Amino acid sequence: MFGRVLESLEEIVAPNPSLFQNFEYNWKLIKTFYMKINQNDQHIDNTNIPYYMEQMLQILIQEETQNKDSAKSNKSAECLEFLLESKPLDLLVDLAINEKPIGCRRWVLKWIKRYLTCLENPMIAHGSVFKPIIKLMTVCKGALASPYEMDEILFLEAVAGLIGKNPDVIKLFIPSHQHSDSTTKGLFSTKPPKHNTLFESNKLEPNIRRVSLMINDETEESSCNEKSASPKNHSFPKDCNCDDGDRFNLLDAVMSYIESADSTIVVRACEGILILVSLKELDNHCNAINASFTELSHIIGEKLFLCAESIPDDMELSDIEECNVTWGLFPKDDHHHFIGRYQLTSFLCWLDYADCLVKENYLIADLLGMLFREQVLEKNLEPNLLELNGPFGLVLTAKVIKQIKSEELLEEVATWLVGTEINGSDCLLNIIIENAQDNSEVLLQTLQLVEALLENPNERILHSMIFLYVNSRGYYDSREIESWSDEEEMREKRHGSAESAVKSRTMAPNNILKVINNFLLLLPRQLMAESAGTCYEEYMQDASRHYQMWIKKTWKFNWPVEATSPVKRPKSPVASGECNDSGISEEMDMKFYEGPLLRLLFNQIRNMSNQPYELNLASIAILSKLALLPNPFLHEILLSTEIPVAQDAATLFTVIQALSKKLLSEIPRYSNFSARIHATAKRLLSNPPLMKDEKDQTAHDESEQLFEALIVLEEFCKELAAIAFIKYHHATE
Amino acid sequence: MSYAYLFKYIIIGDTGVGKSCLLLQFTDKRFQPVHDLTIGVEFGARMITIDGKQIKLQIWDTAGQEAFRSITRSYYRGAAGALLVYDITRRETFNHLTTWLEDARQHSNSNMVIMLIGNKSDLESRREVKKEEGEAFAREHGLVFMETSARTAANVEEAFINTAKEIYEKIQEGVFDINNEANGIKIGTVSTPTNPSIGSNLPGGQSSNSCC
């Protein structure tokens, strides 16, 4: 009770100062400090200046919060007004630039960053705010590696963020757009906040000299009347009057930190750049912006090139495969150290960042995409692939393809691998695949590259690798029946509406049970390891999940629904080019070529019994992926066991039939073959599979491979049956 | 400290809903009433125990402002869990949930566990969004829901830990491919400092392949 009396007494005798008085008081204390010249050689940490500055900021925040809470009552924003009129920021920035006292710059950078981010409306479009900011930006140069690097980049990022929030103000950061064009003038008249009494209070206190808050200097004042009805205009004038030397200074400043030795600062710079390039209001007609974007693309392109060049080519290939990185702020983690780790992760981080950049801005996408192709793909990866170190080049290329998420960069990969000609069969990719045919050293890695291309599918690449060859349906013996699908169609007609609508006849043939049995009964019972194996239903769940995924990945592709033979217009070479987009003549006696990839894979299957288990697994993994693709031609050649096959042509089924025949003739020669089949199945199908140890392997090499191939084939058949069933099911759903 | 698993989280939601405060409460067990606006992303970590197993949570706290969205998107990838936060005293933060959810679903892996959080439950008097509304939204979109208070710490532990439990269960069910680190899960053994990496000239320190 007594305490309360005392309190109220205190208030009468010495009332609490108002926010504004407090604000002004703190500012006065700062100014007083500077009047005592001899104090200037002190370090700022030994002075009270940081404390006074903090007080001022807290008062500004408090004032804004109060005005927001009591929007209707007539409260004024005197402190903010003081900030805009008496321009304390000007002085603070000057002191920061001159480092008076020592260490001042850090505090001012911090203070302005917090002022910009803690206040809801820091009035950045006002000359008293943005001019000092621009001035402070001039001392932020990443190349100088100042002790305040972190504060500098955070300050710049805060400014970038604020532009992101108010895209209009971007013009303030491009010198020639600041005053020159009429749309800019609107900036200085940004509508005063509705409930901010700051703008209403002017009339109430006419005795205090006030500069209009909306207009900051003469140039702007003169334009004040013209713009009164200025529409909200985000765009730059089409005729940009930037000079050649003009730049988007903020972006330039942020970019300069990309070379910092501190990875956290590099991440901050990358963030700042990402904010700026993703501004939707950016107009690519502005020369200053273009100039800065061009430089940015070159810097990132150069980084990619240098990082790619530095990766040692004697790295463990498995380290490349397993490396999984993205750009961004990450904790230091338990790195598994290996040769080339630093170089590889640097490269992949920058690649990931480039991938993010190209998604945000089309100008950067064009330029950086091209540089990526020229500098990384053509200049670095290509020589490795073709001459220097095949396996390394293949694995790294596969990694790059897996890592890319943007369509833009993937298109560049496509241009590199298959060229721009739609039906050009003589492309780098085909050279690579053909090369693997007779070069066992690069076979496994080539299959890995193909797998990467399937995981991250691109229509052009798939076309050149597969469809260019199978779209002609040359594997199909059209002499026998007019068209298998046509026949299906006829059946459909006959049955009328009794049958439900089917999405694709090719993928949902009426004889699906026969197809499934063809796969499941391919191997004679005596060779099956059924007891140890899994039944085909167990593959169903995976197949269903994967098929959904493939549909999602490929829905944009312009693929037909049904496999039909091209309409024949005999004896007219021109016509054949027209109706057959493979460009391969489809004359009857022309031998069907399934393309380098399918040829390679079919050959792998044929030779399965002479090849190592891992290689066989890699081949069937790719084939089952291909079988899952919702493309009717590929479906026919891989999964339709009942189609009439053209003479000399091969389908997957004819190939596994041949393999099965071979196994049947060879395996029963071994005395205890039945027991060995079971033993091998048990070994391979356990989880994880037990591999024969080295000594053992050499002893039984050939026969062991034979038995392993049998188990692989048996499982592969089940998988194919499951895929055929799932696709049927989906097409009839 | 060694851990059995490492889960990566991301905290998303409008600006000012208390994302950074939730993280601070969870990692440091303290509340900071005035918090600087998050620029870009920040990072925190803590160890928890589920089913007798040590699990390390690595949590990215993102900037809520639209301007930073291009950065946030990069971090969705490789997150196993997301805390989607709104402020029960500001209706508009609840209204924006659909946009956040779309963004999250588009840029994350499909198995990511999303926990919906109505924060500032201590400010009952200023409540604008009923608890039932939050529950209904969560039900409709298949999310887990919880109201929390970063100020009083109510439900904060639970929010982070329940998300982890949900991820853990998904691992047991075999939904998550734990061998693919891009799913935001890592099997671990070795000790780790929690500071952001410094000293390598990369756009990010980085994680590497799992060690078993």
Side-chain angles (χ1 to χ4, degrees), chain B residues 47-65:
Chain B
M47 202 72 96
I48 58 167
T49 310
I50 291 177
D51 204 12
K53 289 199 172 69
Q54 288 283 86
I55 292 178
K56 184 171 177 173
L57 301 184
Q58 272 184 355
I59 308 152
W60 279 266
D61 169 29
T62 66
Q65 286 189 357

PDB file of all heavy atoms in Angstrom, chain B residues 47-65:
ATOM      1  N   MET B  47      19.206 -34.218 -28.816  1.00  0.00           N
ATOM      2  CA  MET B  47      19.129 -35.677 -28.763  1.00  0.00           C
ATOM      3  C   MET B  47      17.870 -36.074 -28.000  1.00  0.00           C
ATOM      4  O   MET B  47      17.546 -35.454 -26.991  1.00  0.00           O
ATOM      5  CB  MET B  47      20.376 -36.176 -28.030  1.00  0.00           C
ATOM      6  CG  MET B  47      20.739 -37.586 -28.313  1.00  0.00           C
ATOM      7  SD  MET B  47      21.384 -37.784 -29.960  1.00  0.00           S
ATOM      8  CE  MET B  47      23.127 -37.713 -29.642  1.00  0.00           C
ATOM      9  N   ILE B  48      17.160 -37.048 -28.481  1.00  0.00           N
ATOM     10  CA  ILE B  48      16.011 -37.563 -27.744  1.00  0.00           C
ATOM     11  C   ILE B  48      16.103 -39.092 -27.689  1.00  0.00           C
ATOM     12  O   ILE B  48      16.963 -39.692 -28.349  1.00  0.00           O
ATOM     13  CB  ILE B  48      14.670 -37.160 -28.404  1.00  0.00           C
ATOM     14  CG1 ILE B  48      14.597 -37.669 -29.840  1.00  0.00           C
ATOM     15  CG2 ILE B  48      14.455 -35.670 -28.342  1.00  0.00           C
ATOM     16  CD1 ILE B  48      13.218 -37.601 -30.435  1.00  0.00           C
ATOM     17  N   THR B  49      15.240 -39.696 -26.919  1.00  0.00           N
ATOM     18  CA  THR B  49      15.248 -41.161 -26.825  1.00  0.00           C
ATOM     19  C   THR B  49      13.869 -41.701 -27.187  1.00  0.00           C
ATOM     20  O   THR B  49      12.861 -41.219 -26.665  1.00  0.00           O
ATOM     21  CB  THR B  49      15.589 -41.614 -25.395  1.00  0.00           C
ATOM     22  OG1 THR B  49      16.752 -40.919 -24.983  1.00  0.00           O
ATOM     23  CG2 THR B  49      15.837 -43.103 -25.346  1.00  0.00           C
ATOM     24  N   ILE B  50      13.851 -42.633 -28.110  1.00  0.00           N
ATOM     25  CA  ILE B  50      12.595 -43.291 -28.456  1.00  0.00           C
ATOM     26  C   ILE B  50      12.849 -44.790 -28.446  1.00  0.00           C
ATOM     27  O   ILE B  50      13.816 -45.257 -29.061  1.00  0.00           O
ATOM     28  CB  ILE B  50      12.095 -42.862 -29.849  1.00  0.00           C
ATOM     29  CG1 ILE B  50      11.649 -41.398 -29.803  1.00  0.00           C
ATOM     30  CG2 ILE B  50      10.940 -43.742 -30.317  1.00  0.00           C
ATOM     31  CD1 ILE B  50      11.207 -40.866 -31.127  1.00  0.00           C
ATOM     32  N   ASP B  51      11.990 -45.507 -27.736  1.00  0.00           N
ATOM     33  CA  ASP B  51      12.101 -46.955 -27.759  1.00  0.00           C
ATOM     34  C   ASP B  51      13.494 -47.382 -27.300  1.00  0.00           C
ATOM     35  O   ASP B  51      14.062 -48.335 -27.821  1.00  0.00           O
ATOM     36  CB  ASP B  51      11.839 -47.434 -29.221  1.00  0.00           C
ATOM     37  CG  ASP B  51      11.361 -48.867 -29.245  1.00  0.00           C
ATOM     38  OD1 ASP B  51      11.035 -49.381 -28.171  1.00  0.00           O
ATOM     39  OD2 ASP B  51      11.334 -49.448 -30.340  1.00  0.00           O
ATOM     40  N   GLY B  52      14.037 -46.625 -26.370  1.00  0.00           N
ATOM     41  CA  GLY B  52      15.370 -46.927 -25.859  1.00  0.00           C
ATOM     42  C   GLY B  52      16.510 -46.594 -26.799  1.00  0.00           C
ATOM     43  O   GLY B  52      17.656 -46.902 -26.532  1.00  0.00           O
ATOM     44  N   LYS B  53      16.169 -45.958 -27.900  1.00  0.00           N
ATOM     45  CA  LYS B  53      17.221 -45.632 -28.873  1.00  0.00           C
ATOM     46  C   LYS B  53      17.488 -44.130 -28.873  1.00  0.00           C
ATOM     47  O   LYS B  53      16.553 -43.331 -28.814  1.00  0.00           O
ATOM     48  CB  LYS B  53      16.790 -46.064 -30.274  1.00  0.00           C
ATOM     49  CG  LYS B  53      16.794 -47.567 -30.445  1.00  0.00           C
ATOM     50  CD  LYS B  53      16.815 -47.908 -31.933  1.00  0.00           C
ATOM     51  CE  LYS B  53      17.011 -49.394 -32.142  1.00  0.00           C
ATOM     52  NZ  LYS B  53      15.840 -50.177 -31.726  1.00  0.00           N
ATOM     53  N   GLN B  54      18.770 -43.784 -28.955  1.00  0.00           N
ATOM     54  CA  GLN B  54      19.149 -42.384 -29.044  1.00  0.00           C
ATOM     55  C   GLN B  54      18.867 -41.875 -30.456  1.00  0.00           C
ATOM     56  O   GLN B  54      19.326 -42.472 -31.429  1.00  0.00           O
ATOM     57  CB  GLN B  54      20.643 -42.239 -28.752  1.00  0.00           C
ATOM     58  CG  GLN B  54      21.013 -42.458 -27.311  1.00  0.00           C
ATOM     59  CD  GLN B  54      20.658 -41.240 -26.459  1.00  0.00           C
ATOM     60  OE1 GLN B  54      19.523 -41.117 -25.993  1.00  0.00           O
ATOM     61  NE2 GLN B  54      21.608 -40.349 -26.268  1.00  0.00           N
ATOM     62  N   ILE B  55      18.114 -40.813 -30.531  1.00  0.00           N
ATOM     63  CA  ILE B  55      17.832 -40.248 -31.858  1.00  0.00           C
ATOM     64  C   ILE B  55      18.202 -38.784 -31.858  1.00  0.00           C
ATOM     65  O   ILE B  55      17.827 -38.033 -30.962  1.00  0.00           O
ATOM     66  CB  ILE B  55      16.353 -40.443 -32.223  1.00  0.00           C
ATOM     67  CG1 ILE B  55      16.077 -41.931 -32.425  1.00  0.00           C
ATOM     68  CG2 ILE B  55      15.993 -39.659 -33.483  1.00  0.00           C
ATOM     69  CD1 ILE B  55      14.668 -42.274 -32.733  1.00  0.00           C
ATOM     70  N   LYS B  56      18.959 -38.425 -32.865  1.00  0.00           N
ATOM     71  CA  LYS B  56      19.365 -37.028 -32.953  1.00  0.00           C
ATOM     72  C   LYS B  56      18.440 -36.294 -33.906  1.00  0.00           C
ATOM     73  O   LYS B  56      18.192 -36.758 -35.025  1.00  0.00           O
ATOM     74  CB  LYS B  56      20.803 -36.952 -33.454  1.00  0.00           C
ATOM     75  CG  LYS B  56      21.331 -35.544 -33.493  1.00  0.00           C
ATOM     76  CD  LYS B  56      22.811 -35.527 -33.784  1.00  0.00           C
ATOM     77  CE  LYS B  56      23.281 -34.102 -33.883  1.00  0.00           C
ATOM     78  NZ  LYS B  56      24.730 -34.023 -34.001  1.00  0.00           N
ATOM     79  N   LEU B  57      17.932 -35.176 -33.431  1.00  0.00           N
ATOM     80  CA  LEU B  57      17.097 -34.362 -34.312  1.00  0.00           C
ATOM     81  C   LEU B  57      17.907 -33.170 -34.795  1.00  0.00           C
ATOM     82  O   LEU B  57      18.490 -32.447 -33.995  1.00  0.00           O
ATOM     83  CB  LEU B  57      15.857 -33.865 -33.553  1.00  0.00           C
ATOM     84  CG  LEU B  57      14.933 -34.920 -32.953  1.00  0.00           C
ATOM     85  CD1 LEU B  57      13.719 -34.256 -32.318  1.00  0.00           C
ATOM     86  CD2 LEU B  57      14.479 -35.899 -34.033  1.00  0.00           C
ATOM     87  N   GLN B  58      17.933 -32.997 -36.088  1.00  0.00           N
ATOM     88  CA  GLN B  58      18.565 -31.810 -36.671  1.00  0.00           C
ATOM     89  C   GLN B  58      17.431 -30.972 -37.245  1.00  0.00           C
ATOM     90  O   GLN B  58      16.670 -31.454 -38.078  1.00  0.00           O
ATOM     91  CB  GLN B  58      19.504 -32.213 -37.811  1.00  0.00           C
ATOM     92  CG  GLN B  58      20.884 -32.533 -37.343  1.00  0.00           C
ATOM     93  CD  GLN B  58      21.823 -32.842 -38.484  1.00  0.00           C
ATOM     94  OE1 GLN B  58      21.423 -32.915 -39.638  1.00  0.00           O
ATOM     95  NE2 GLN B  58      23.066 -33.035 -38.163  1.00  0.00           N
ATOM     96  N   ILE B  59      17.327 -29.739 -36.778  1.00  0.00           N
ATOM     97  CA  ILE B  59      16.131 -28.976 -37.097  1.00  0.00           C
ATOM     98  C   ILE B  59      16.482 -27.674 -37.804  1.00  0.00           C
ATOM     99  O   ILE B  59      17.288 -26.884 -37.311  1.00  0.00           O
ATOM    100  CB  ILE B  59      15.347 -28.675 -35.799  1.00  0.00           C
ATOM    101  CG1 ILE B  59      15.122 -29.988 -35.033  1.00  0.00           C
ATOM    102  CG2 ILE B  59      14.027 -28.010 -36.113  1.00  0.00           C
ATOM    103  CD1 ILE B  59      14.997 -29.799 -33.551  1.00  0.00           C
ATOM    104  N   TRP B  60      15.861 -27.477 -38.938  1.00  0.00           N
ATOM    105  CA  TRP B  60      16.045 -26.228 -39.664  1.00  0.00           C
ATOM    106  C   TRP B  60      14.846 -25.327 -39.425  1.00  0.00           C
ATOM    107  O   TRP B  60      13.703 -25.715 -39.663  1.00  0.00           O
ATOM    108  CB  TRP B  60      16.206 -26.482 -41.162  1.00  0.00           C
ATOM    109  CG  TRP B  60      17.585 -26.882 -41.486  1.00  0.00           C
ATOM    110  CD1 TRP B  60      18.598 -26.062 -41.893  1.00  0.00           C
ATOM    111  CD2 TRP B  60      18.132 -28.189 -41.404  1.00  0.00           C
ATOM    112  NE1 TRP B  60      19.745 -26.796 -42.048  1.00  0.00           N
ATOM    113  CE2 TRP B  60      19.498 -28.089 -41.758  1.00  0.00           C
ATOM    114  CE3 TRP B  60      17.626 -29.423 -41.041  1.00  0.00           C
ATOM    115  CZ2 TRP B  60      20.350 -29.181 -41.776  1.00  0.00           C
ATOM    116  CZ3 TRP B  60      18.473 -30.523 -41.050  1.00  0.00           C
ATOM    117  CH2 TRP B  60      19.810 -30.396 -41.416  1.00  0.00           C
ATOM    118  N   ASP B  61      15.198 -24.145 -38.937  1.00  0.00           N
ATOM    119  CA  ASP B  61      14.169 -23.156 -38.653  1.00  0.00           C
ATOM    120  C   ASP B  61      14.199 -22.174 -39.822  1.00  0.00           C
ATOM    121  O   ASP B  61      15.235 -21.604 -40.135  1.00  0.00           O
ATOM    122  CB  ASP B  61      14.545 -22.477 -37.332  1.00  0.00           C
ATOM    123  CG  ASP B  61      13.710 -21.263 -37.067  1.00  0.00           C
ATOM    124  OD1 ASP B  61      12.556 -21.230 -37.525  1.00  0.00           O
ATOM    125  OD2 ASP B  61      14.210 -20.340 -36.393  1.00  0.00           O
ATOM    126  N   THR B  62      13.075 -22.024 -40.491  1.00  0.00           N
ATOM    127  CA  THR B  62      13.089 -21.235 -41.727  1.00  0.00           C
ATOM    128  C   THR B  62      12.432 -19.876 -41.528  1.00  0.00           C
ATOM    129  O   THR B  62      11.698 -19.674 -40.573  1.00  0.00           O
ATOM    130  CB  THR B  62      12.320 -21.975 -42.836  1.00  0.00           C
ATOM    131  OG1 THR B  62      10.936 -22.039 -42.466  1.00  0.00           O
ATOM    132  CG2 THR B  62      12.842 -23.372 -43.028  1.00  0.00           C
ATOM    133  N   ALA B  63      12.716 -18.985 -42.464  1.00  0.00           N
ATOM    134  CA  ALA B  63      12.095 -17.670 -42.432  1.00  0.00           C
ATOM    135  C   ALA B  63      10.672 -17.802 -42.967  1.00  0.00           C
ATOM    136  O   ALA B  63      10.443 -18.455 -43.977  1.00  0.00           O
ATOM    137  CB  ALA B  63      12.892 -16.698 -43.295  1.00  0.00           C
ATOM    138  N   GLY B  64       9.733 -17.195 -42.275  1.00  0.00           N
ATOM    139  CA  GLY B  64       8.339 -17.349 -42.679  1.00  0.00           C
ATOM    140  C   GLY B  64       7.926 -16.451 -43.826  1.00  0.00           C
ATOM    141  O   GLY B  64       6.962 -16.734 -44.531  1.00  0.00           O
ATOM    142  N   GLN B  65       8.697 -15.370 -44.003  1.00  0.00           N
ATOM    143  CA  GLN B  65       8.273 -14.405 -45.015  1.00  0.00           C
ATOM    144  C   GLN B  65       8.333 -14.973 -46.422  1.00  0.00           C
ATOM    145  O   GLN B  65       9.248 -15.707 -46.769  1.00  0.00           O
ATOM    146  CB  GLN B  65       9.172 -13.174 -44.942  1.00  0.00           C
ATOM    147  CG  GLN B  65       8.870 -12.327 -43.748  1.00  0.00           C
ATOM    148  CD  GLN B  65       9.620 -11.012 -43.798  1.00  0.00           C
ATOM    149  OE1 GLN B  65      10.408 -10.775 -44.706  1.00  0.00           O
ATOM    150  NE2 GLN B  65       9.352 -10.164 -42.835  1.00  0.00           N
TER     151      GLN B  65
END
